[in-house]
Amino acid sequence: MPTDSITPTEDVSPKADLPPVEELLSTAVEAVGGVERPGQIKMVQAVQHSIQSGDHLAVQAGTGTGKSLAYLIPSIRHAMTSKGAVVVSTATIALQRQLVDRDLPRLSEALAPQLPHEPTYAILKGRRNYLCRYKASAGWPDDEQDQLFDPREVSLTGRMVQRIQEWAQETETGDRDELVPGVNEQAWRQFSVSARECLGATRCPSGMECFAELARARAGESDVVVTNHALLAIDAMEDFPLLPEHEVVVVDEAHELVDRVTSVVTGELSETMVALAARRVGKLIEPHLGDRLVEAGEDLKALLAVAPAGRLDELPEVLGLTLALVRDSAWGCITALGPRMSSDKDDPEGAGLRKAAFTALDEVHDTAQRMLDAFGHAEEVDRAEVVWLETGTERRPPLLRVAPLTVAGMLRDKLFGDRTVILTSATLALGGAFDGLARQWGLGAKEGAKERSGWTGLDVGSPFDHPRSGILYVAKHLPQPGRDGLPEAYLEEITELIEAAGGRTLGLFSSMRAAKAATEALRDRLSVPLLCQGDDSTMLLVKQFSEDEPTCLFGTLSLWQGVDVPGPSLRLVIIDRIPFPRPDDPLSSARQRHVAAKGGNGFMSVAATHAALLLAQGAGRLLRSQHDKGVVAVLDPRLATARYAGFLRDSLPPFWPTNDPAKVREALRRLAAS
């Protein structure tokens, strides 16, 4: 359970000889030309206390607090005398790059005179992100080629393959992110392996110069290792360690942790995956065994082609028989392959092909078994996973997915069990409390058992004066949003708001269809430029939006969290509706039902929590610097009238609230004229 306050404790460890974190913070802030803020000081003290006490910490720090310095300084101080590194995990590549390219270099240089040595740092990604030297040189068969049906795609991928080959001769890191412009997945897979496919440094002919192993070695010698939530989850779940030894983890962008971990542990099964496994094993075993797996995949393909999409609450008999056939056929191939470790060390190419075959077969077998195990429970509370079918597209066949109904237990046992974890974001206290996300992380009480070690929830506030800088306008007079697109009243409201603001508007829509419909309807009504996500790369659209003040930008999910435009180019954020998950979303609806079966409020725990997170993230786009001012306009009247409205509003920054459209338009006109 969270504690109400943080009481500093005396540091009796060897780290007591080091300068206190407050002194280090002052040095760092002065070096970067910044100003210490009360919230930043409070956070650096809280993180230091958490590291000392071993209790977990969830700290909400608003935009502009300087939270990166506030967690990096205690982390570096701890790493100076501990056995291992401190791991910093982020959700986005942008924040990883900010930490490694800007924050850590400046911080290390500034703190070096006060510490035993200059702090060191490294970035570490999953093995798939690094070029595999051996696969690039061994001429392995192309698993993906026959999945490219469009000749233009084949040609494009061929050009990308050639570019990767040229880059491979000059790269020093093998990091895929160095390839600009990027390459598609089909091309990159021909030069990379997963952790399960890897032969291992001791068996691989290129092991001594492996990019992934070199990155791990650099990380193992560093004080701070920057990684991502996916690799953090894999490291926690797998038997083999991927990250260096560590006692402390900082999870930045922690509001995304549950979704990222869920993605890592979600399984997929399709005819394409079965066919890939059959191709990989084809020449290594008796042909009739591979043919049996191919036939099982074709049966699965025929079944999924006619099955309705959506959540599967009961297992249809024919699907159960087909999944069992796929599972058993894969197991027959696995058995026929024999020992997993070949005794012939002089045949690395053969060992690589066997490892790739085992990896593909294991995935098919284990996922089919997971799907069968997801059914047959007497009570809903006994169900652990949900299975659903997604329809195919021109580029992808139909596929089955299986995902856990909760990752709380995994996180509680695997991530929080034997290390200290600091979780931070600008958005953690939903409805004014941390409890909702804490339950999803597994930090609440474990049913039928004693509570886990303590955790503290702390909101250090924001440097922004929200009531004086921003208005929260809820269009209470509008009709409730329907399923048939944006009503005319919504389009009129958007038009009047944008005209009053002189453009300068970020429109956040609940779906891409709504964003495109609004763009098409309003381009003829507005005299200002109007961009829509999908017109160009999102990065270029945001750049154009920020550089041309009258321009407006409409879009969906990635813009809710990925836009940082300080200054006069952004004066108005429009949110078309409360961003609840779709009622037919298989995973969300199954999780709601599961919570309800256990006696909880499924809607509030899942749907409302999801909506609160996105609303808070969307509203957070408005104020990005001390001088920013503007309006967050929510067109959905339920934010003023529904029974859950108070919970959602309490999750938002404390803007000055109003339901009066005339006041809002007048305020926007004054801002436009200033």
Side-chain angles (χ1 to χ4, degrees):
M1 294 292 290
T3 56
D4 295 328
S5 62
I6 293 177
T7 304
T9 57
E10 183 180 357
D11 189 352
V12 295
S13 69
K15 293 183 284 295
D17 297 333
L18 300 176
V21 289
E22 295 87 351
E23 182 178 331
L24 294 175
L25 177 63
S26 296
T27 300
V29 171
E30 181 179 355
V32 300
V35 177
E36 286 187 59
R37 301 184 176 97
Q40 188 179 45
I41 297 171
K42 193 173 183 180
M43 181 173 172
V44 80
Q45 293 171 337
V47 174
Q48 174 68 3
H49 173 73
S50 177
I51 292 173
Q52 291 174 15
S53 68
D55 284 351
H56 307 304
L57 171 68
V59 54
Q60 178 167 284
T63 301
T65 302
K67 62 183 171 68
S68 296
L69 287 183
Y71 65 67
L72 286 174
I73 286 171
S75 297
I76 289 172
R77 187 179 186 274
H78 172 74
M80 287 292 109
T81 55
S82 66
K83 293 181 180 179
V86 171
V87 171
V88 177
S89 177
T90 76
T92 61
I93 293 175
L95 182 53
Q96 287 181 35
R97 294 258 60 100
Q98 175 187 315
L99 291 172
V100 172
D101 295 340
R102 190 188 73 181
D103 295 345
L104 281 165
R106 295 194 296 181
L107 188 56
S108 295
E109 183 180 359
L111 298 184
Q114 295 180 271
L115 298 175
H117 63 261
E118 182 170 340
T120 56
Y121 51 89
I123 188 168
L124 186 60
K125 305 174 184 178
R127 191 172 290 271
R128 271 284 188 201
N129 292 276
Y130 298 99
L131 180 93
C132 173
R133 287 187 186 272
Y134 178 61
K135 190 171 184 180
S137 62
W140 285 10
D142 177 7
D143 291 329
E144 310 291 336
Q145 190 61 50
D146 66 350
Q147 296 180 41
L148 299 172
F149 304 109
D150 187 338
R152 291 171 298 181
E153 287 291 334
V154 175
S155 176
L156 175 63
T157 299
R159 291 194 296 272
M160 289 180 175
V161 166
Q162 183 176 357
R163 190 152 58 86
I164 296 172
Q165 291 170 331
E166 295 170 354
W167 169 77
Q169 303 303 314
E170 59 187 37
T171 178
E172 296 182 359
T173 67
D175 188 337
R176 179 181 180 177
D177 289 333
E178 284 186 0
L179 270 168
V180 180
V183 297
N184 64 30
E185 192 64 21
Q186 285 86 357
W188 182 252
R189 278 185 177 273
Q190 297 179 46
F191 297 87
S192 67
V193 296
S194 68
R196 292 183 179 274
E197 293 170 322
C198 177
L199 287 174
T202 58
R203 296 175 61 84
C204 178
S206 302
M208 296 299 292
E209 52 183 1
C210 171
F211 288 123
E213 291 296 328
L214 291 172
R216 282 195 68 196
R218 287 192 295 271
E221 298 171 353
S222 301
D223 296 313
V224 177
V225 176
V226 179
T227 188
N228 56 65
H229 294 350
L231 187 60
L232 180 69
I234 295 170
D235 177 74
M237 308 298 173
E238 297 287 359
D239 295 330
F240 47 88
L242 301 174
L243 295 169
E245 181 180 353
H246 58 283
E247 301 170 344
V248 176
V249 176
V250 178
V251 181
D252 203 342
E253 301 173 306
H255 61 280
E256 294 200 46
L257 180 63
V258 169
D259 285 345
R260 299 299 173 112
V261 173
T262 299
S263 295
V264 167
V265 296
T266 295
E268 298 180 358
L269 189 63
S270 68
E271 181 271 338
T272 302
M273 296 174 60
V274 179
L276 171 62
R279 282 200 306 278
R280 285 188 174 182
V281 77
K283 296 181 180 180
L284 304 176
I285 60 173
E286 292 292 328
H288 72 277
L289 294 172
D291 292 343
R292 190 178 301 166
L293 181 59
V294 171
E295 292 170 1
E298 291 174 348
D299 288 347
L300 181 66
K301 177 182 180 180
L303 180 60
L304 299 187
V306 297
R311 191 181 74 209
L312 296 173
D313 294 331
E314 301 293 337
L315 179 64
E317 182 178 2
V318 64
L319 178 58
L321 292 172
T322 305
L323 288 173
L325 180 61
V326 169
R327 176 200 61 192
D328 295 343
S329 300
W331 182 250
C333 295
I334 291 171
T335 304
L337 272 174
R340 289 182 177 262
M341 297 299 293
S342 172
S343 58
D344 187 358
K345 295 185 179 180
D346 296 327
D347 182 21
E349 183 174 350
L353 294 174
R354 286 172 56 81
K355 193 73 179 288
F358 272 122
T359 300
L361 290 167
D362 286 341
E363 185 174 5
V364 168
H365 173 274
D366 296 350
T367 304
Q369 186 62 58
R370 273 181 72 184
M371 291 176 176
L372 290 168
D373 291 342
F375 300 96
H377 302 287
E379 301 290 340
E380 174 62 32
V381 293
D382 299 324
R383 193 190 299 263
E385 298 203 286
V386 59
V387 178
W388 70 95
L389 172 63
E390 290 187 4
T391 54
T393 65
E394 292 183 2
R395 299 174 58 86
R396 179 182 59 76
L399 58 83
L400 288 168
R401 293 186 188 271
V402 57
L405 288 167
T406 175
V407 295
M410 297 180 196
L411 290 173
R412 178 177 59 239
D413 297 336
K414 302 292 187 178
L415 179 61
F416 296 103
D418 56 0
R419 56 180 63 85
T420 302
V421 183
I422 293 100
L423 306 111
T424 186
S425 169
T427 309
L428 294 181
L430 304 179
F434 292 86
D435 295 349
L437 284 180
R439 282 192 293 270
Q440 294 186 12
W441 296 329
L443 285 179
K446 187 175 182 181
E447 290 190 20
K450 292 183 178 180
E451 294 172 0
R452 297 287 296 178
S453 60
W455 64 276
T456 299
L458 177 68
D459 184 356
V460 300
S462 167
F464 302 149
D465 187 346
H466 286 92
R468 290 181 176 273
S469 301
I471 296 173
L472 173 63
Y473 165 54
V474 180
K476 187 177 179 180
H477 62 284
L478 291 178
Q480 285 197 18
R483 297 185 179 181
D484 300 325
L486 290 172
E488 176 62 26
Y490 278 52
L491 296 174
E492 292 177 0
E493 185 81 21
I494 295 172
T495 301
E496 292 174 355
L497 289 170
I498 291 177
E499 287 177 342
R504 303 179 176 87
T505 299
L506 177 65
L508 303 177
F509 292 83
S510 54
S511 69
M512 184 56 73
R513 185 178 66 174
K516 289 182 177 179
T519 302
E520 292 174 4
L522 295 178
R523 272 183 171 149
D524 292 336
R525 306 188 191 191
L526 295 170
S527 59
V528 295
L530 179 52
L531 308 175
C532 185
Q533 193 174 3
D535 291 346
D536 205 332
S537 75
T538 300
M539 181 178 67
L540 291 176
L541 291 173
V542 173
K543 184 174 185 290
Q544 186 176 344
F545 171 61
S546 65
E547 292 177 351
D548 183 30
E549 284 189 24
T551 296
C552 302
L553 175 60
F554 287 2
T556 185
L557 188 59
S558 62
L559 297 187
W560 288 71
Q561 304 183 77
V563 175
D564 184 13
V565 180
S569 291
L570 178 53
R571 292 296 192 220
L572 173 62
V573 175
I574 294 177
I575 297 174
D576 70 328
R577 63 191 299 163
I578 298 172
F580 291 120
R582 288 172 54 96
D584 59 354
D585 178 83
L587 182 54
S588 175
S589 60
R591 284 178 166 174
Q592 288 188 59
R593 185 181 62 179
H594 190 66
V595 170
K598 297 174 72 173
N601 187 322
F603 172 79
M604 293 301 296
S605 295
V606 180
T609 295
H610 172 92
L613 268 176
L614 274 182
L615 271 179
Q617 287 288 312
R621 300 309 97 199
L622 181 66
L623 304 184
R624 309 303 295 178
S625 72
Q626 291 282 358
H627 303 293
D628 289 347
K629 296 181 182 296
V631 172
V632 174
V634 181
L635 306 185
D636 192 334
R638 292 175 296 177
L639 191 59
T641 60
R643 67 186 187 282
Y644 49 77
F647 171 79
L648 297 179
R649 290 196 302 271
D650 287 344
S651 305
L652 298 175
F655 297 118
W656 184 78
T658 183
N659 300 322
D660 188 336
K663 288 183 179 179
V664 170
R665 290 194 294 268
E666 179 57 32
L668 288 170
R669 281 191 283 267
R670 287 198 303 270
L671 275 177
S674 63

